[in-house]
Amino acid sequence: MDQLLDILKRNRLSVTDGRKKILEMFLKTPGALAHADIEKYTDAAFDRVTVYRTLQTFVDKGIIHNIPTSDNAILYALCKEECADGHHHDNHVHFICDTCGQTTCLDEVTIPEVKLPKGFRPQFSEMVVKGICAACQAKQ
Amino acid sequence: MDQLLDILKRNRLSVTDGRKKILEMFLKTPGALAHADIEKYTDAAFDRVTVYRTLQTFVDKGIIHNIPTSDNAILYALCKEECADGHHHDNHVHFICDTCGQTTCLDEVTIPEVKLPKGFRPQFSEMVVKGICAACQAKQ
DNA sequence: AGCAAATTTGCAATAATGTTGCAGGTTTTG
DNA sequence: CAAAACCTGCAACATTATTGCAAATTTGCT
Ligand SMILES: [Mn+2]
Ligand SMILES: [Mn+2]
Ligand SMILES: [Zn+2]
Ligand SMILES: [Zn+2]
């Protein structure tokens, strides 16, 4: 069975055109996507509201995770196998390229633990590194 | 001289009611603030636009820095002495409490370096830890 | 295939958030 | 104190996000 359908079925989601198209986009794209990217790619074939709801559904199901940023953009990227239904395990570093603007999941780079001041109990960490990505570096 | 005036003078900013009030709020607050917090605290005495512009000015001058989040809120917190005019040096970890919602600058906790895949050149890192803060832990 | 139930979508309305130009007001400079 | 520099508030506009509800689609079942 198609990977796309497999993911939707596994998460007990109805298979609809919008979900297929949006999920397809995530499977094809190496980096992260913002709401705006999806609207552009799908050529506004789906209502904005549908895109919002689809992204939220995918996050809830553990199909995609979001990436913290300092500006006001919410970015999303595909989760690996281990995430499921409300339990995310995306403890990898994210890289944002200053040159091309692309955000990459560095799945093989684990977020290091840090020693916190007395009394703080950590549960989950996020780390974003900015700089120049491998692709842009190679073009120099 | 008052700390408040000192900071404004040092950054060659006109001393206005709005800037005094907003800066005062940052000096008093242990955690981070969002635009909405400031509007609430100042009781809408200043126009929204003025608040936006004041925050932007403070960021430009290196008086405050912003903090990455996964949702759509931009948070701001005071910078330490070393930041100035467009050159931020806030390489500390931020902590977001799941219980009280407060975001804290852990100034003494430095963001660790990570080994990136071949070709990636890092320039700047951000790290956010979520969990239960010292204050909330103590109340248990 | 055909039908009923469950789910999803699009539309419209509304809210929240952020940006810009400009005239009038305030602060600074000397 | 006066002129210059700077800052603020208003209005208008733009973008982004949320909600309720009816129509459309998908699913589960015969
Ligand atoms: Mn990721
Ligand atoms: Mn900080
Ligand atoms: Zn790049
Ligand atoms: Zn707390």
Side-chain angles (χ1 to χ4, degrees):
Chain A
M1 188 194 277
D2 190 23
Q3 182 186 14
L4 239 157
L5 295 187
D6 183 47
I7 293 175
L8 293 176
K9 296 280 190 193
R10 187 167 60 225
N11 287 283
R12 293 178 301 286
L13 290 172
S14 303
V15 178
T16 65
D17 290 349
R19 288 176 179 167
K20 279 195 288 184
K21 193 75 177 174
I22 293 174
L23 185 49
E24 175 191 273
M25 194 176 169
F26 277 109
L27 290 167
K28 277 187 183 170
T29 311
L33 298 170
H35 177 100
D37 297 323
I38 292 162
E39 281 206 287
K40 199 182 295 169
Y41 176 79
T42 57
D43 216 14
F46 309 100
D47 193 89
R48 290 171 52 69
V49 178
T50 300
V51 176
Y52 281 119
R53 289 196 272 225
T54 302
L55 290 172
Q56 190 53 56
T57 300
F58 285 0
V59 170
D60 291 344
K61 290 291 187 179
I63 299 172
I64 61 178
H65 59 275
N66 54 26
I67 299 172
T69 57
S70 296
D71 56 16
N72 236 19
I74 308 185
L75 292 176
Y76 303 88
L78 262 194
C79 290
K80 300 303 157 222
E81 303 301 321
E82 310 87 34
C83 294
D85 233 332
H87 286 283
H88 283 268
H89 303 282
D90 307 283
N91 61 337
H92 57 271
V93 172
H94 290 107
F95 190 93
I96 302 178
C97 178
D98 284 330
T99 303
C100 66
Q102 186 153 161
T103 298
T104 313
C105 292
L106 301 177
D107 295 300
E108 54 302 7
V109 184
T110 304
I111 298 177
E113 304 240 329
V114 291
K115 187 167 159 33
L116 300 177
K118 195 169 161 52
F120 286 85
R121 182 184 297 179
Q123 281 166 354
F124 180 70
S125 300
E126 297 184 292
M127 185 165 179
V128 172
V129 178
K130 290 178 188 174
I132 300 172
C133 77
C136 286
Q137 193 78 255
K139 283 181 201 146
Q140 299 294 311
Chain B
M1 189 195 277
D2 190 23
Q3 183 187 13
L4 237 157
L5 295 187
D6 183 49
I7 293 174
L8 293 176
K9 297 278 190 193
R10 187 168 59 227
N11 287 283
R12 292 176 302 284
L13 290 173
S14 303
V15 178
T16 65
D17 290 349
R19 287 176 180 168
K20 278 195 289 186
K21 192 76 177 175
I22 292 173
L23 186 48
E24 176 191 272
M25 194 175 169
F26 277 109
L27 289 168
K28 277 187 183 167
T29 310
L33 298 170
H35 177 100
D37 297 323
I38 291 161
E39 280 207 286
K40 199 181 297 172
Y41 176 78
T42 57
D43 216 16
F46 309 101
D47 194 89
R48 292 167 45 71
V49 178
T50 301
V51 176
Y52 280 118
R53 287 196 274 226
T54 302
L55 290 171
Q56 189 54 54
T57 301
F58 285 179
V59 170
D60 290 345
K61 290 293 188 178
I63 299 172
I64 61 178
H65 59 276
N66 54 27
I67 299 172
T69 58
S70 297
D71 55 15
N72 234 19
I74 307 184
L75 292 176
Y76 302 89
L78 264 192
C79 291
K80 300 304 158 222
E81 303 301 322
E82 311 84 37
C83 294
D85 233 330
H87 286 285
H88 283 269
H89 303 283
D90 306 284
N91 61 335
H92 57 271
V93 172
H94 291 106
F95 190 92
I96 303 179
C97 178
D98 284 329
T99 303
C100 66
Q102 187 153 161
T103 298
T104 314
C105 293
L106 302 177
D107 297 299
E108 41 327 343
V109 183
T110 304
I111 298 177
E113 304 240 328
V114 290
K115 187 166 161 37
L116 299 176
K118 196 168 158 56
F120 286 86
R121 182 183 297 180
Q123 281 166 355
F124 180 69
S125 301
E126 296 183 293
M127 184 165 180
V128 173
V129 178
K130 290 178 187 173
I132 301 173
C133 77
C136 286
Q137 192 77 256
K139 283 181 202 146
Q140 297 295 311

